[in-house]
Amino acid sequence: MPMTVHRYHRQTLLEGIGKEGQERLRSASVLVAGVGALGCAVADHLVRAGIGHLRLIDRDLVEPTNLQRQCLFAEDDLGSPKAIAAANRLQAINHDVQLEAVVDDLRPAVAHDMVDRCDAIADGLDNFATRFLLNDLSVKFGLPYAYGGAVGYEGTSAFLRPSPLHRQRLVTREISEAESGPCLRCLVPATPPAHLTPTCDTAGVLSPVIAVIAGLQAAALIQYLAQSAEPLPHVLTRFDARAMRMHQLDISQSQREDCSTCNKGRFAALESDHGSQATTICGRDLIQLLPPEPQPTDLDALHKRLSAHGSFERLPFLLRGTLQDELDQAKQPVGLTVFPDGRVFVHGTLDATRARAIESRWLGG
Ligand SMILES: [Zn+2]
């Protein structure tokens, strides 16, 4: 028996999937946005289920603190770009799946390319600013959006299928008006202020909560893409590990008439200049600086230049090292990581102004 038939046997046995559903999964493509804890776990389920193509995007590198919960990474991956390390692991799990790793920040300039030929979006993000970008893509292109978030002992998930009212592209599996429900902005109209939003950095996160939430996201995506049985209900599910309880909120009537995205068709996140901002990265003592547009950077030339001012090493996808004349508050040398598209991590500071000054001083940006 061919491996491809054999390996999916327990899944094709399921009523509502069968061989036809399995074939639909094989021809499906999913964007996994963010390959942290949720992204790793969702991608693992999708690849084992035989989704034909996954595009993984993440801007970050594997850190020791990731290993507690990010299930695709091992100690050997420390320092590697997450998207690459995850794709390598996933390919070893299932050689039939086509994997595309993108080491970049999910931002307006690259957003449209990220959903090219995709049938659905899986949320592995840690901030609402970028989730609104996914939501804009979901509404604009009629793509279901498996929302997920987890922090502390709690996690939340919802499988959002927006109204086709403003859809600008034909998709393989259309969301009908009857099947549609609220978009993310109907539920969360604006980005919550930072001081009200605990992060994995400030509050920690229990690894099994990730598994529960990612399981809900993947269960919805697999059933939707296999076109199994009845449409899934519109519910927001919250899991509380301390109470060992699931709470469900019916959101079938939560579509807002004043929603700027799914009702008015305005895609504010896609049209913003988010790409020029300096951002902190969850759990990391660093500032990321993004050029307004990708700026192809010659890392070899930069390596030569910076080596005169510190200790730098050139890795396949980046240049990184420390500057001997720039000290952080602990009097340790400030670190720099430079990517081929012009993105820069300034390590050892959470002050965007100082980070920009360091960039300007050493990289001429
Ligand atoms: Zn909406």
Side-chain angles (χ1 to χ4, degrees):
M1 191 181 287
M3 177 76 158
T4 48
V5 175
H6 181 70
R7 72 182 298 153
Y8 303 121
H9 178 248
R10 303 299 190 273
Q11 189 165 275
T12 53
L13 277 178
L14 292 169
E15 191 180 324
I17 294 185
K19 287 183 180 168
E20 285 184 6
Q22 191 62 48
E23 191 53 35
R24 291 191 192 102
L25 294 179
R26 194 185 66 76
S27 58
S29 171
V30 175
L31 169 67
V32 178
V35 195
L38 284 173
C40 278
V42 172
D44 182 76
H45 283 297
L46 298 182
V47 159
R48 289 180 193 278
I51 300 286
H53 172 254
L54 253 65
R55 183 175 291 130
L56 311 161
I57 178 168
D58 198 290
R59 63 188 176 186
D60 216 346
L61 310 177
V62 180
E63 291 275 310
T65 57
N66 300 150
L67 299 179
Q68 166 247 2
R69 65 196 181 284
Q70 301 188 10
C71 65
L72 295 176
F73 306 134
E75 291 172 5
D76 285 352
D77 297 314
L78 291 174
S80 300
K82 287 185 178 180
I84 305 276
N88 288 341
R89 172 68 183 145
L90 292 165
Q91 198 72 83
I93 290 168
N94 190 342
H95 72 279
D96 284 334
V97 173
Q98 191 190 345
L99 292 156
E100 197 180 332
V102 181
V103 184
D104 202 345
D105 197 39
L106 183 56
R107 58 205 153 89
V110 301
H112 288 89
D113 288 345
M114 288 303 100
V115 291
D116 184 36
R117 298 191 307 279
C118 277
D119 302 296
I121 298 170
D123 180 351
L125 299 171
D126 60 3
N127 68 86
F128 270 91
T130 317
R131 285 194 176 106
F132 284 137
L133 195 59
L134 289 187
N135 189 57
D136 279 5
L137 292 168
S138 163
V139 174
K140 188 172 182 180
F141 297 115
L143 303 172
Y145 171 20
Y147 161 71
V151 67
Y153 289 92
E154 295 182 7
T156 309
S157 175
F159 190 56
L160 303 170
R161 283 142 290 165
S163 159
L165 189 63
H166 296 286
R167 189 177 62 216
Q168 296 182 13
R169 191 175 78 188
L170 289 176
V171 287
T172 321
R173 161 93 156 83
E174 291 187 11
I175 301 167
S176 67
E177 191 64 57
E179 189 186 353
S180 71
C183 78
L184 183 67
R185 212 179 270 275
C186 291
L187 304 175
V188 186
T191 305
H195 67 278
L196 294 179
T197 315
T199 67
C200 59
D201 188 18
T202 58
V205 61
L206 190 72
S207 175
V209 172
I210 303 289
V212 172
I213 299 304
L216 290 169
Q217 292 175 280
L221 286 164
I222 292 167
Q223 291 178 83
Y224 176 88
L225 293 168
Q227 299 181 30
S228 59
E230 295 296 307
L232 297 162
H234 291 281
V235 287
L236 185 78
T237 304
R238 197 174 123 242
F239 173 60
D240 179 346
R242 276 178 296 196
M244 294 300 276
R245 191 174 295 160
M246 290 271 197
H247 304 267
Q248 282 205 317
L249 187 67
D250 180 349
I251 55 170
S252 59
Q253 306 302 316
S254 299
Q255 194 171 353
R256 291 167 56 120
E257 287 192 2
D258 61 349
C259 177
S260 61
T261 308
C262 71
N263 195 289
K264 308 250 187 293
R266 289 201 292 267
F267 304 112
L270 272 174
E271 289 154 13
S272 79
D273 62 353
H274 164 73
S276 66
Q277 291 176 359
T279 52
T280 56
I281 291 187
C282 185
R284 307 276 304 275
D285 184 21
L286 65 81
I287 295 279
Q288 174 181 248
L289 299 171
L290 291 170
E293 297 292 333
Q295 292 175 348
T297 302
D298 183 340
L299 296 183
D300 292 319
L302 197 58
H303 187 197
K304 274 188 200 154
R305 180 147 65 89
L306 290 177
S307 291
H309 305 285
S311 170
F312 281 82
E313 60 176 335
R314 174 80 164 88
L315 298 175
F317 304 98
L318 53 88
L319 171 68
R320 71 177 177 192
T322 52
L323 293 161
Q324 63 197 19
D325 295 330
E326 289 279 2
L327 300 182
D328 62 20
Q329 286 186 328
K331 304 296 178 202
Q332 296 299 310
V334 162
L336 282 182
T337 303
V338 187
F339 295 86
D341 60 0
R343 279 186 310 134
V344 177
F345 288 175
V346 182
H347 302 258
T349 182
L350 290 172
D351 177 347
T353 307
R354 170 133 205 261
R356 285 190 201 283
I358 291 170
E359 180 192 40
S360 173
R361 200 172 301 138
W362 298 102
L363 303 175

